Amino acid sequence: MDQSHEPSWFISTDQALVDVDAVHRLLQGSYWAETRPKDTIQESIANSLCFGVYLSADRSQIAFARVVTDKVTFSWICDVIVDEGHRGKGIGKALMSAVMEHPYVHSTVSLLGTRDAHGLYEQFGFARREMMWRSTRAFG
């Protein structure tokens, strides 16, 4: 799945394009995965449906989203992040559109958690709800 939203960048689910170093760097700047080890990130990428946003000129990765799904009933959308230097350009909205339109996500019950991006996710039908969760790892 490749989607070009403007000449300067594109969205893809091609696992071969995911730059683990770039994703690790992006997630180190997040509140939810700042201490997540790179090897854990690499394994989570390998076991998830991943969406990357890449610059067309050099294919460098500027955004990422990951979905854990059974492809028919449930999806957990996580690790949605856009590089700070590329925020405010509609990339997050385009990335979420691609995620929500994907056939493995579109017809599922989708959950996500956020502390600061409620406005973005509400545009895609998400409602603020209290969730319970259990963490067995110190790094989130």
Side-chain angles (χ1 to χ4, degrees):
M1 171 186 181
D2 280 346
Q3 292 183 348
S4 180
H5 288 276
E6 59 179 60
S8 63
W9 52 270
F10 66 97
I11 299 172
S12 178
T13 56
D14 184 347
Q15 286 270 5
L17 293 177
V18 176
D19 180 343
V20 176
D21 290 328
V23 173
H24 181 240
R25 185 176 61 256
L26 288 169
L27 291 176
Q28 283 182 316
S30 73
Y31 63 81
W32 67 89
E34 64 190 356
T35 61
R36 192 179 300 165
K38 186 170 139 183
D39 61 332
T40 299
I41 291 169
Q42 186 166 11
E43 190 171 340
S44 71
I45 289 169
N47 292 298
S48 302
L49 172 62
C50 297
F51 295 76
V53 181
Y54 307 90
L55 294 177
S56 297
D58 62 5
R59 292 188 171 212
S60 59
Q61 189 157 3
I62 59 170
F64 180 75
R66 188 168 66 85
V67 181
V68 179
T69 182
D70 66 8
K71 304 178 185 178
V72 291
T73 64
F74 176 79
S75 295
W76 173 264
I77 299 167
C78 50
D79 294 340
V80 179
I81 193 157
V82 178
D83 182 87
E84 282 188 39
H86 295 278
R87 292 180 186 166
K89 301 176 184 178
I91 293 170
K93 190 171 182 175
L95 179 57
M96 278 305 297
S97 288
V99 169
M100 298 309 297
E101 292 168 6
H102 193 280
Y104 291 170
V105 179
H106 180 72
S107 62
T108 65
V109 171
S110 298
L111 299 177
L112 60 77
T114 187
R115 271 196 234 162
D116 59 358
H118 299 94
L120 171 65
Y121 300 122
E122 286 170 344
Q123 294 176 50
F124 295 94
F126 287 91
R128 296 178 195 211
R129 299 266 193 267
E130 182 178 351
M131 294 188 326
M132 294 180 63
W133 63 287
R134 176 179 177 262
S135 175
T136 60
R137 293 190 159 176
F139 52 82

